[in-house]
Amino acid sequence: GQPDLLIRTWEEVSPQTASMLASQDAIAVVTLGLVFFIAAFGIVNTMLVSVFERTRELGVMRAMGVAPVNLVGVVILESLCLGALAGLLGITLGLGLDLYLVQVGLDFSEALPEGFDFNGVLLEPVLRGQIRFTPIVLTAMFLVGVSILAALYPAIRAARIQPIDAMRQE
């Protein structure tokens, strides 16, 4: 006497939507990769300028007995602090925007008072965001890693400074 029921996942019902979402994730990864590449280039540039401007100071530190590995640590720590500050600023601004989208949302009610249809699913006229902490944490951790890796070349350059040559520079 029970009617036969067919239960399917949304991916089975709408494979086009599942494919579109997978493509969107791939595009997001490529975009983030590009952003991190640009950020790494900026960090390398900033740290190289910092090393060049402080060549004399780093030479004095070497002459006073600071080991090259400690100079590497100083440059990497400085880069890590800059990366952490940038990450904190980005997360703060991003969470502010996310909170706005969660609480207020994007209101399409004037143009579409009854909502709109997407692949047979009726959506509300006000679209609201959702905060997912895993991508935020992973992005922040990746930023820290990029900051450290980008600082390696300037740090090694700082460690190779010869005290006598560095103190001669003006």
Side-chain angles (χ1 to χ4, degrees), residues 1-158:
Q2 293 286 336
D4 291 332
L5 297 177
L6 176 63
I7 299 174
R8 297 188 295 175
T9 65
W10 69 268
E11 290 98 344
E12 293 171 334
V13 173
S14 181
Q16 298 89 0
T17 304
S19 175
M20 183 184 67
L21 289 174
S23 297
Q24 181 182 358
D25 289 344
I27 290 170
V29 167
V30 169
T31 303
L32 267 177
L34 183 61
V35 167
F36 279 118
F37 176 76
I38 293 168
F41 185 73
I43 292 169
V44 168
N45 185 40
T46 301
M47 297 314 297
L48 273 175
V49 168
S50 175
V51 167
F52 286 141
E53 287 181 352
R54 297 185 324 188
T55 298
R56 189 175 179 130
E57 173 187 330
L58 295 170
V60 169
M61 291 173 68
R62 287 276 290 129
M64 292 177 56
V66 174
V69 70
N70 290 343
L71 285 181
V72 169
V74 166
V75 173
I76 288 177
L77 182 63
E78 182 178 344
S79 175
L80 189 60
C81 288
L82 287 172
L85 183 64
L88 186 62
L89 181 64
I91 287 172
T92 302
L93 292 173
L95 279 177
L97 179 61
D98 283 348
L99 287 174
Y100 174 80
L101 290 174
V102 167
Q103 293 175 353
V104 177
L106 298 175
D107 189 1
F108 295 105
S109 59
E110 285 187 31
L112 303 163
E114 296 176 12
F116 54 96
D117 182 274
F118 180 76
N119 278 349
V121 176
L122 184 64
L123 299 174
E124 297 287 327
V126 178
L127 296 179
R128 298 192 188 282
Q130 177 185 13
I131 297 175
R132 296 181 301 154
F133 288 101
T134 302
I136 295 170
V137 170
L138 288 175
T139 303
M141 289 173 38
F142 197 71
L143 176 66
V144 168
V146 166
S147 296
I148 291 170
L149 288 175
L152 284 178
Y153 174 68
I156 291 169
R157 186 165 175 91

